[in-house]
């Protein structure tokens, strides 16, 4: 990159996640630290098309570190998927004098970032999604907060399930990825965990596990289902038909995306925001800021998008070994 970066834009795009604000704050403050100006682009890539912006200075990002959601709003833009849309976005960058963009979000956000960088706009990406499904990074901002929210809710459910000796079917988020479900399932001591990466065998994955848990002395059962597996209501009905239980179904839904970010998410978001802007300041661009083995690394956007993260199946074995069904 030859041109010195003097003014950058920062945006949040796709599904929000706790910690996005912490990243926006870190990007803004680090930009100021390096003598750059920072402009907030509202409503993600669509905002870049529409020229929807706000000036970010040090006081604009005061008190947002612990705030859930995103002060920049977020959106999923169909228009940005078109050549025309992206041309408009480039015009906005020119109009606002933006020398670079920091894009905070998931893989959809990075696909947009790649297209924009191909049009000559320097872009850095920061992974933020509660799904933790970005291949190049061990960790994505928001995962820890979402897990803790789900765990808190399920602990409460367990109290009443235990009193009534019932079966609970809880649906957590994750349309394509089961990281949240498996992590939460282990943390709450679930009887069964269903994830989209593993094709469900109802008899083996549910019926036999509940029967074994019962034979092992359990009187209530917790089934955690990732959204992508199918309807938790249907699973509840099948449990009723095949085991004669009367399950209660809870869909946690978007509550998992809200709330104050945990310490881990604030710290990671701050570190990632800092390194994204530092890269610009040192003349590097076109990468996603990732964590690998606890360290920060820059992965070229194209490479980052090509990487897939596999659910660690050994975690299933852990669940198997320590759940109530292990007699
Ligand atoms: O990508 C994060 C995520 O929360 C997924 O887990 C979920 O499937 C999806 O977003 C829900 O998206 P929306 O906000 O459009 O309902």
């Amino acid at each position: 990159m030859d041109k010195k970066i003097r003014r950058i834009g920062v945006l949040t795009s796709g599904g929000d996640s706790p910690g996005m604000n912490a990243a926006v704050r870190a990007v803004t403050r680090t930009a100021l630290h390096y003598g750059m100006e920072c402009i907030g682009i509202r409503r993600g890539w669509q905002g870049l098309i529409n020229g929807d912006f706000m000036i970010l200075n040090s006081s604009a990002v005061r008190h947002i570190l612990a705030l859930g959601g995103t002060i920049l709003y977020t959106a999923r833009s169909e228009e940005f998927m078109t050549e025309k849309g992206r041309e408009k976005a480039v015009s906005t960058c020119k109009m606002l004098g933006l020398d670079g963009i920091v894009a905070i979000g998931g893989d959809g956000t990075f696909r947009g970032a790649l297209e924009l960088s191909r049009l000559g706009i320097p872009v850095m990406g920061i992974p933020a999604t509660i799904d933790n499904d970005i291949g190049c990074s061990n960790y994505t901002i928001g995962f820890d907060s979402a897990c803790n929210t789900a765990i808190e809710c399920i602990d409460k459910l367990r109290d009443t399930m235990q009193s009534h000796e019932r079966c609970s079917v809880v649906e957590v988020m994750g349309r394509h990825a089961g990281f949240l479900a498996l992590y939460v399932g282990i943390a709450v001591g679930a009887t069964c965990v269903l994830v989209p990466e593993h094709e469900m065998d109802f008899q083996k994955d549910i019926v036999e596990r509940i029967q074994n848990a019962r034979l092992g002395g359990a009187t209530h059962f917790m089934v955690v289902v990732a959204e992508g597996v199918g309807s938790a209501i249907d699973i509840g009905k099948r449990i009723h038909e095949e085991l004669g239980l009367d399950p209660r179904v809870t869909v946690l839904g978007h509550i998992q995306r809200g709330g104050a970010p945990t310490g881990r998410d604030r710290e990671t978001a701050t570190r990632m925001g800092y390194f994204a802007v530092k890269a610009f300041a040192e003349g590097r661009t076109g990468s996603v800021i990732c964590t690998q083995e606890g360290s920060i690394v820059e992965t070229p956007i194209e490479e980052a998008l090509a990487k897939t993260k596999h659910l660690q199946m050994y975690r299933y074995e852990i669940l198997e070994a320590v759940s109530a069904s292990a007699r």
Side-chain angles (χ1 to χ4, degrees):
M1 192 172 58
D2 309 326
K3 200 177 159 206
K4 193 167 164 10
I5 304 258
R6 294 179 197 283
R7 186 177 300 142
I8 60 168
V10 57
L11 59 84
T12 51
S13 165
D16 62 352
S17 68
M20 277 184 159
N21 279 327
V24 170
R25 170 183 176 269
V27 166
T28 305
R29 294 262 170 94
T30 310
L32 298 173
H33 169 78
Y34 280 109
M36 302 172 192
E37 289 174 27
C38 192
I39 307 279
I41 305 296
R42 286 188 291 215
R43 302 178 177 88
W45 295 123
Q46 192 58 46
L48 196 63
I49 291 172
N50 298 343
D52 184 359
F53 71 94
M54 65 191 279
I55 305 290
L56 291 178
N57 53 29
S58 195
S59 56
V61 294
R62 187 161 292 134
H63 302 313
I64 68 167
L65 178 61
L67 213 62
T70 162
I71 61 159
L72 294 179
Y73 306 101
T74 184
R76 294 186 173 102
S77 173
E78 295 280 324
E79 199 181 348
F80 196 77
M81 297 297 139
T82 67
E83 216 179 300
K84 231 174 166 176
R86 291 193 291 272
E87 276 166 16
K88 284 193 208 165
V90 171
S91 300
T92 304
C93 291
K94 287 183 183 156
M95 186 64 201
L96 297 178
L98 299 177
D99 303 317
I101 298 280
V102 177
I104 304 167
D107 52 3
T109 305
F110 301 150
R111 274 194 290 278
L114 182 64
E115 294 300 335
L116 197 66
S117 65
R118 283 180 176 150
L119 295 174
I121 307 289
V123 186
M124 290 297 292
I126 294 181
T129 159
I130 66 159
D131 292 343
N132 200 22
D133 61 347
I134 302 296
C136 61
S137 190
N138 293 152
Y139 189 74
T140 63
I141 298 166
F143 179 67
D144 190 53
S145 306
C147 284
N148 279 294
T149 298
I151 290 164
E152 195 187 330
C153 294
I154 296 174
D155 283 348
K156 287 180 177 152
L157 274 175
R158 187 182 282 285
D159 290 345
T160 167
M161 291 301 133
Q162 183 265 333
S163 308
H164 287 263
E165 301 177 279
R166 273 178 175 152
C167 174
S168 189
V169 180
V170 186
E171 184 182 300
V172 299
M173 274 190 161
R175 212 173 281 160
H176 307 291
F179 297 99
L180 186 67
L182 190 51
Y183 189 100
V184 166
I186 290 175
V188 301
T191 320
C192 326
V193 176
L194 305 174
V195 293
E197 293 87 341
H198 169 76
E199 201 183 332
M200 173 176 51
D201 176 337
F202 200 83
Q203 181 62 26
K204 200 166 155 288
D205 296 331
I206 300 189
V207 174
E208 286 174 20
R209 291 188 67 83
I210 291 179
Q211 283 170 337
N212 283 339
R214 179 69 197 102
L215 289 168
T219 55
H220 69 280
F221 315 98
M222 187 64 71
V223 179
V224 175
V225 185
E227 172 192 8
V229 170
S231 155
I233 295 175
D234 291 347
I235 289 169
K237 277 187 193 145
R238 245 182 113 180
I239 290 175
H240 174 69
E241 283 158 18
E242 302 203 17
L243 285 157
L245 296 169
D246 185 18
R248 294 295 188 267
V249 178
T250 308
V251 178
L252 293 184
H254 290 80
I255 201 160
Q256 295 158 99
R257 290 226 304 247
T262 58
R264 181 176 187 186
D265 281 325
R266 294 180 205 190
E267 194 273 343
T268 308
T270 303
R271 224 160 12 115
M272 286 180 164
Y274 168 81
F275 278 105
V277 179
K278 189 171 191 274
F280 271 153
E282 293 173 354
R284 296 185 305 282
T285 177
S287 289
V288 175
I289 296 292
C290 309
T291 57
Q292 279 173 18
E293 317 298 341
S295 305
I296 295 283
V297 294
E298 291 166 24
T299 308
I301 303 173
E302 202 162 357
E303 205 180 298
L305 283 168
K307 286 195 177 167
T308 43
K309 191 193 274 182
H310 299 289
L311 198 70
Q312 297 150 318
M313 291 318 267
Y314 79 87
R315 288 185 189 256
Y316 252 108
E317 288 161 27
I318 297 174
L319 191 76
E320 198 90 12
V322 302
S323 77
S325 57
R327 279 180 289 139

